Amino acid sequence: MATQTKESRTDFTRESIVLDYRVAFRSRQASLIGRKEVLTGKAKFGIFGDGKEVAQLAMARAFRKGDWRSGYYRDQTFMFAAGMGTLDEFFAQLYADPDIAHDPWSGGRSMNAHFASRLLNPDGSWKNQVDSYNSSADVSPTGSQMPRLVGLGWASKLYRGFGIDNDFSHHGDEIAWGTIGNASCAEGMFWESLNAAGVLQIPMLVSIWDDNYGISVSNEFQITKSNLSELLRGFQRDPKSKSGFDIYTVKGWDYPSLCETYLHAAAISRMEHVPAVVHVTELTQPQGHSTSGSHERYKSKERLDWEAEFDCIRKMREWMIAQGIASADELDKHEREDLQMVREAQRRAWDAYRATIDADVRTVIDFLDRLGAMEAKNELQKIQAPFRRDAMRALAGALIDAPGSDEILDWYRQRQKENDERYDDHFWSGQIMPGVAATYADDAPVLNGFEIINHCFDHALRRDPTVVIFGEDVGKLGDVNQGCAGLQEKYGELRVSDTGIRECTIVGQAIGAALRGLRPIAEVQYLDYLLYAIQIISDDLATTRWRTRGGQKCPVIIRTRGHRLEGIWHSGSPMAGIINLVRGMSVCVPRNMTQAAGMYNRLLRGDDPALVVEVLNGYRVKEKLPSNVGEFVVPLGVPEVLREGSDVTLVSYGATLRIVMEAAELLASANVSAEVIDVQTLLPFDVRGIILQSLKKTNRIAFIDEDVPGGASAFMMRNVIDRDRGYEWLDSQPITITGKEHRPAYGSDGDYWSKPNRETIFAAVYELLRETNPRLYPPRL
Ligand SMILES: Cc1ncc(C[n+]2csc(CCOP(=O)(O)OP(=O)(O)O)c2C)c(N)n1
Ligand SMILES: [Mg+2]
């Protein structure tokens, strides 16, 4: 699709306006044809940008190389106008084409209209960002583009403050452009993000596409006073002051006003780093929300008539004719050509998508013939455009009925493997790094745990100018446990900074910064409050690499502390909840601050996102300072045997290990030799089968943690017993020893009876041994 060059974008020649119109018109045709493709069964679902075209032309005119977009599914016109996507790619994604050469945005992994740039070279290294137009990868949950947007804008502020001119930034001149629907502004994340951007004063320019609806629910039920501009007034800055936002309201069918507004807003935001909101009103949705429903069911006749009259493309056409920019005949001619162009793109994308599938289908039909599976063959041939799945299922059925030749079976297995890879690859970077042992001088100082962390971060900040650490109380105070004490003074307020109490956008800040080449360590003050950010971690951060099929990476480190304070909200250990929601990330559960430091050293040298849960009551425990505190590396997924034993293996992690070690001591006094293993990381989990090796020796095993029954203990048990086939080595039932179903009660007694403790661990493990030899192990507790 023809795009405009950077130079011509702000140049309002007759030609460039006609070209704008044609981009909008093609985009509309793509929406209309896209819907038909869904309704005729060629694609599963469609959501399109019809009714929002003209405003996006204006946004694209102000969007420059180096800039960033974080938006949502209505933005196809912007992508076309900015030259960030083609019609062929648009249709390829509609068909869920897994080939990144066809759908470079998501490789068939996201539903349609989820846009993204390919930021990485095939080897996973970053491409230059200042010479390209950049888009972060869209997600579906409404409002979830906002936290990341804060980080994208914040990165400009950091780069400007650092005085950096590199492949990621030209002195922070880049704007982070957000788009969001009116109804999504009812989400908490929207307001949290706006507040954060206002506090940070960053070049973030948010467009609200207001079509008065969120599916069927109108603004009356979404927004106080039904009016976002009015609500946003409190954010408006005094023009003489830098604090606050610039707020603009403009009609979505008024092309000249839109262009003027966007160019003006962008110039100020870019130069002064003032955030801005452009509230674009009077937008329409000609085809309704998506292919799932029809808007005639909830819009009145008056509204539908108004939408037809105020359709932005119709209005732009009227304006162009009235201004003498183009005649009706001229535009008719362009429209005929452009419709043809869109149809051709759709057909090309369909043919490209079908090519490899149809080849497989032909092969399967041949195999079915050879296997004599005539019914299966006929069924498959009846399907007009079969999926790969249909062909593979037909062949599997035939192979089950009549085991075939090795050649057919080999082909089937090979294709299964390829199809698994087609959907599984780029789950993580695949970087495996060997450990580097901590070394100690003879006179190594013995320090508080927090001081070990402090030394580690000090090294990281000194070594790598892109490392930034931030969170609640992290800057001036140096975090609530002093892991960052003195670091702001040493490295400045940009590199070590305080944030508001806003866990979701703290993580968003990290995501955006990491996408722009920085190395953020974002602190969430306590593990229990990670839940405020878990949605964005789960939906956005953890899936970045996978959902772009290797097009983007986001090496964020989230630092938090957990376990062992007392009470419902300070002692939680909801580890299974977390690990099951953040697949794609590493989850580190160090038992002390030295292990934590070794993990940070590892993560800062890698490309994958991670969560590190430090032990809350470990900051004042004394540890020896390694002489290579900034260099040693704890490898991920490698458990460590902390105590050797021969009767039973006790597997645990984090703060609980101290109690398990005490229980092992008690067990030793009762003739039970327990081997204690620290898993070190829950994700990845024991990649070398170290726990299995222990089980082969002891033939008994217990998994111990503070999570609920069936929580992370069950996860560990499944890996050892099922994944690693540990069941073959068991002489006793494998057990879990966990916290109670309920939250931990307050106070030392509440804690003692809510979580595993030395005595309950002793009793449960001793019972395992007693069952095998009651005389050797008489009743004790
Ligand atoms: C968190 C969340 N809740 C619900 C949905 C389902 N949903 C998808 S789009 C949408 C309406 C969004 O309306 P608006 O923000 O005005 O954008 P529009 O589609 O009108 O452009 C809803 C409710 C979702 N995707 N995410
Ligand atoms: Mg809407």
Side-chain angles (χ1 to χ4, degrees):
M1 166 171 269
T3 56
Q4 299 171 9
T5 65
K6 182 178 165 188
E7 287 69 42
S8 72
R9 279 201 181 152
T10 52
D11 192 6
F12 287 89
T13 58
R14 181 187 169 280
E15 289 72 28
S16 76
I17 295 171
V18 171
L19 186 52
D20 262 358
Y21 177 79
R22 295 184 67 176
V23 170
F25 182 84
R26 288 171 205 153
S27 175
R28 174 66 60 88
Q29 298 313 310
S31 299
L32 299 174
I33 292 172
R35 185 178 174 89
K36 282 194 200 120
E37 291 300 280
V38 175
L39 299 185
T40 54
K42 285 163 76 185
K44 284 248 150 170
F45 171 81
I47 192 153
F48 304 107
D50 46 308
K52 320 280 189 292
E53 292 94 345
V54 173
Q56 294 179 25
L57 301 173
M59 175 172 151
R61 278 188 174 264
F63 195 88
R64 281 209 212 146
K65 284 195 173 153
D67 282 0
W68 279 81
R69 166 190 171 277
S70 177
Y72 80 118
Y73 50 78
R74 299 283 180 218
D75 291 346
Q76 69 197 46
T77 313
F78 169 78
M79 295 297 288
F80 298 146
M84 295 167 73
T86 66
L87 288 162
D88 292 56
E89 291 164 356
F90 174 83
F91 285 109
Q93 194 183 42
L94 184 71
Y95 301 134
D97 190 329
D99 188 340
I100 55 169
H102 304 154
D103 167 17
W105 301 326
S106 66
R109 290 179 185 181
S110 273
M111 62 168 55
N112 86 306
H114 284 56
F115 309 105
S117 329
R118 295 201 77 75
L119 305 175
L120 306 181
N121 297 306
D123 69 356
S125 60
W126 292 111
K127 290 184 191 164
N128 175 300
Q129 296 181 356
V130 286
D131 292 332
S132 45
Y133 301 109
N134 307 295
S135 175
S136 56
D138 295 357
V139 292
S140 295
T142 49
S144 294
Q145 67 273 44
M146 293 300 295
R148 173 189 343 121
L149 179 65
V150 174
L152 292 170
W154 184 55
S156 287
K157 176 171 174 154
L158 293 178
Y159 281 124
R160 187 172 285 182
F162 299 161
I164 285 185
D165 186 10
N166 62 10
D167 278 0
F168 297 99
S169 176
H170 178 60
H171 295 291
D173 286 349
E174 308 79 19
I175 294 177
W177 297 78
T179 68
I180 186 166
N182 53 298
S184 302
C185 296
E187 292 281 8
M189 276 182 290
F190 170 75
W191 297 100
E192 186 179 317
S193 299
L194 245 51
N195 180 55
V199 170
L200 292 167
Q201 285 302 122
I202 54 177
M204 171 176 123
L205 203 162
V206 181
S207 296
I208 302 171
W209 305 145
D210 193 343
D211 58 9
N212 198 50
Y213 285 89
I215 310 187
S216 67
V217 182
S218 67
N219 275 347
E220 199 187 342
F221 299 96
Q222 302 277 7
I223 302 296
T224 305
K225 302 183 186 178
S226 308
N227 188 337
L228 275 158
S229 292
E230 199 171 333
L231 283 197
L232 289 168
R233 226 175 262 161
F235 285 90
Q236 175 102 49
R237 69 172 176 148
D238 175 334
K240 289 188 274 318
S241 131
K242 254 206 83 172
S243 180
F245 277 68
D246 285 335
I247 313 277
Y248 307 85
T249 307
V250 57
K251 293 184 173 40
W253 45 264
D254 184 350
Y255 175 77
S257 299
L258 284 161
C259 290
E260 200 182 316
T261 304
Y262 273 101
L263 291 173
H264 176 76
I268 296 178
S269 191
R270 195 181 300 282
M271 205 155 44
E272 298 179 29
H273 278 194
V274 171
V277 175
V278 180
H279 180 199
V280 182
T281 59
E282 300 197 11
L283 287 169
T284 67
Q285 207 146 268
Q287 301 192 103
H289 177 74
S290 71
T291 51
S292 299
S294 126
H295 61 158
E296 285 81 8
R297 280 173 53 206
Y298 51 80
K299 284 181 189 162
S300 67
K301 182 168 179 320
E302 293 71 40
R303 172 78 197 184
L304 290 168
D305 288 347
W306 177 86
E307 289 204 9
E309 191 185 341
F310 282 82
D311 184 298
C312 60
I313 294 187
R314 177 174 168 177
K315 283 269 170 222
M316 183 173 176
R317 190 184 145 110
E318 286 168 8
W319 173 80
M320 286 166 71
I321 294 169
Q323 295 292 314
I325 293 167
S327 69
D329 284 350
E330 222 177 308
L331 292 178
D332 286 346
K333 182 169 160 285
H334 288 319
E335 288 179 4
R336 279 193 300 276
E337 281 168 22
D338 288 336
L339 173 58
Q340 194 53 31
M341 179 186 186
V342 179
R343 282 201 181 120
E344 279 164 18
Q346 175 263 313
R347 280 190 209 118
R348 258 195 320 271
W350 176 254
D351 290 345
Y353 161 65
R354 291 303 314 175
T356 56
I357 300 181
D358 287 339
D360 276 7
V361 171
R362 281 193 297 275
T363 305
V364 167
I365 285 172
D366 176 45
F367 287 156
L368 293 174
D369 246 343
R370 282 163 55 182
L371 291 167
M374 290 312 152
E375 207 180 312
K377 179 185 155 189
N378 290 340
E379 287 301 309
L380 183 58
Q381 280 178 321
K382 259 195 246 157
I383 306 173
Q384 208 173 23
F387 295 115
R388 275 197 179 83
R389 177 198 64 183
D390 299 318
M392 294 301 281
R393 271 186 176 173
L395 184 58
L399 283 169
I400 292 166
D401 277 353
S405 71
D406 282 353
E407 184 207 339
I408 299 179
L409 202 55
D410 282 352
W411 185 92
Y412 175 81
R413 288 180 181 155
Q414 178 60 25
R415 277 293 185 277
Q416 284 292 77
K417 192 164 158 279
E418 282 170 22
N419 284 323
D420 277 338
E421 278 166 15
R422 192 169 264 133
Y423 295 103
D424 294 348
D425 67 6
H426 294 289
F427 184 53
W428 67 299
S429 69
Q431 292 167 330
I432 294 173
M433 287 183 213
V436 176
T439 52
Y440 294 93
D442 289 344
D443 58 348
V446 176
L447 304 177
N448 289 309
F450 74 81
E451 293 171 295
I452 306 276
I453 290 287
N454 194 284
H455 278 279
C456 167
F457 287 166
D458 190 4
H459 276 263
L461 287 159
R462 197 179 328 143
R463 182 181 63 238
D464 183 349
T466 63
V467 170
V468 286
I469 308 183
F470 54 97
E472 296 153 26
D473 302 294
V474 166
K476 204 176 275 179
L477 187 66
D479 90 42
V480 285
N481 295 95
Q482 298 180 57
C484 296
L487 297 179
Q488 186 181 67
E489 265 168 38
K490 205 164 167 181
Y491 296 98
E493 286 185 7
L494 286 178
R495 297 198 62 201
V496 182
S497 57
D498 281 316
T499 67
I501 307 174
R502 47 175 182 78
E503 290 75 12
C504 172
T505 46
I506 289 173
V507 171
Q509 222 171 304
I511 295 172
L515 287 171
R516 295 190 60 188
L518 295 161
R519 298 294 318 210
I521 301 176
E523 175 169 323
V524 170
Q525 203 160 66
Y526 296 103
L527 178 65
D528 304 72
Y529 307 121
L530 193 78
L531 299 190
Y532 275 68
I534 197 74
Q535 180 267 330
I536 214 72
I537 296 173
S538 179
D539 286 329
D540 193 354
L541 178 57
T543 67
T544 304
R545 185 185 286 274
W546 181 85
R547 77 177 190 271
T548 56
R549 208 168 175 199
Q552 302 195 356
K553 63 181 173 183
C554 201
V556 163
I557 299 174
I558 299 172
R559 173 191 188 214
T560 188
R561 48 186 75 82
H563 327 299
R564 307 273 7 133
L565 259 192
E566 291 169 2
I568 305 176
W569 292 286
H570 290 89
S571 56
S573 185
M575 295 313 299
I578 293 167
I579 58 178
N580 287 322
L581 286 168
V582 307
R583 298 296 165 96
M585 290 176 67
S586 301
V587 174
C588 303
V589 280
R591 65 180 177 276
N592 60 29
M593 299 308 154
T594 307
Q595 294 308 104
M599 292 173 187
Y600 286 122
N601 290 338
R602 161 64 181 82
L603 295 169
L604 284 165
R605 287 165 174 79
D607 270 345
D608 297 295
L611 170 70
V612 180
V613 185
E614 294 170 17
V615 174
L616 187 46
N617 61 358
Y619 293 108
R620 299 214 167 256
V621 176
K622 304 287 184 233
E623 296 179 35
K624 261 203 307 188
L625 179 70
S627 44
N628 56 350
V629 65
E631 310 301 327
F632 81 103
V633 164
V634 172
L636 304 176
V638 183
E640 191 177 331
V641 177
L642 300 185
R643 178 188 171 115
E644 297 210 358
S646 52
D647 292 330
V648 61
T649 301
L650 307 183
V651 181
S652 189
Y653 57 88
T656 316
L657 275 167
R658 192 174 51 78
I659 304 166
V660 173
M661 290 295 272
E662 287 172 16
E665 201 57 38
L666 266 191
L667 285 162
S669 71
N671 293 322
V672 178
S673 166
E675 180 142 308
V676 179
I677 299 185
D678 175 4
V679 306
Q680 306 225 73
T681 61
L682 285 166
L683 296 177
F685 187 83
D686 189 8
V687 294
R688 296 189 195 158
I690 287 171
I691 301 170
L692 181 71
Q693 293 311 315
S694 172
L695 180 60
K696 285 182 181 174
K697 181 171 67 172
T698 63
N699 310 113
R700 285 177 196 84
I701 194 161
F703 300 89
I704 305 155
D705 75 356
E706 298 181 358
D707 199 355
V708 292
S713 59
F715 165 83
M716 296 192 286
M717 181 150 87
R718 182 257 155 191
N719 276 311
V720 178
I721 305 303
D722 176 1
R723 184 194 72 178
D724 296 345
R725 302 173 72 90
Y727 70 93
E728 292 180 25
W729 301 90
L730 286 170
D731 284 345
S732 297
Q733 175 197 348
I735 60 168
T736 61
I737 305 170
T738 69
K740 298 277 180 64
E741 296 271 7
H742 55 73
R743 299 277 183 107
Y746 188 54
S748 297
D749 287 349
D751 182 76
Y752 187 83
W753 275 283
S754 299
K755 291 181 181 170
N757 57 56
R758 188 179 58 175
E759 289 71 28
T760 49
I761 296 169
F762 171 89
V765 175
Y766 188 78
E767 187 57 27
L768 274 186
L769 274 294
R770 220 177 85 69
E771 274 170 16
T772 65
N773 192 341
R775 266 198 292 164
L776 188 60
Y777 299 103
R780 285 185 198 259
L781 278 183

